[in-house]
Amino acid sequence: MALSRRKQDVDEKMVDALINKGSVTELPATPPVDLKATAKEELVDNSKLIFVQLRIDPQTLQEIDRNVKSRPGKLSRHTWIMEAIAEKLTRIQE
């Protein structure tokens, strides 16, 4: 069975109107957002946990995992990293 394209009824005036319509190039005026102020406000609110993405090289990650496994009991990598951060902050404050 041979297939043939469906005949399309295209109104050339509508196509020209769509092409000439263009797009909206101006955005509505919005006040600029001070991202630093927003970040500071979030940091001040200690009741919230803030998601932070961490990039780490594979060798360091393997070393962390070895240290996590060497600890007695069940310890997550996340907890180990949080402990390391707390230790560093304590050392800095002393």
Side-chain angles (χ1 to χ4, degrees):
M1 177 175 163
L3 297 176
S4 62
R5 287 188 165 200
R6 182 185 299 174
K7 184 178 178 183
Q8 296 179 349
D9 294 327
V10 178
D11 184 2
E12 293 295 327
K13 289 181 183 178
M14 290 181 66
V15 171
D16 288 339
L18 178 65
I19 292 171
N20 292 331
K21 178 182 160 191
S23 63
V24 177
T25 56
E26 292 183 25
L27 297 174
T30 57
V33 177
D34 187 5
L35 296 177
K36 289 183 179 178
T38 305
K40 287 179 183 176
E41 290 171 7
E42 288 180 4
L43 290 175
V44 170
D45 186 4
N46 291 334
S47 63
K48 285 185 187 177
L49 292 177
I50 299 172
F51 179 80
V52 176
Q53 193 169 19
L54 177 68
R55 292 187 183 100
I56 193 165
D57 64 279
Q59 293 169 338
T60 304
L61 188 61
Q62 287 176 349
E63 189 173 344
I64 289 172
D65 287 343
R66 276 196 301 272
N67 283 294
V68 167
K69 288 179 182 175
S70 69
R71 295 261 305 260
K74 189 174 183 179
L75 181 72
S76 69
R77 180 191 298 157
H78 174 82
T79 301
W80 191 92
I81 292 172
M82 293 302 292
E83 286 179 355
I85 291 170
E87 287 175 14
K88 174 92 178 192
L89 291 174
T90 302
R91 270 188 275 141
I92 290 172
Q93 292 173 354
E94 291 177 349

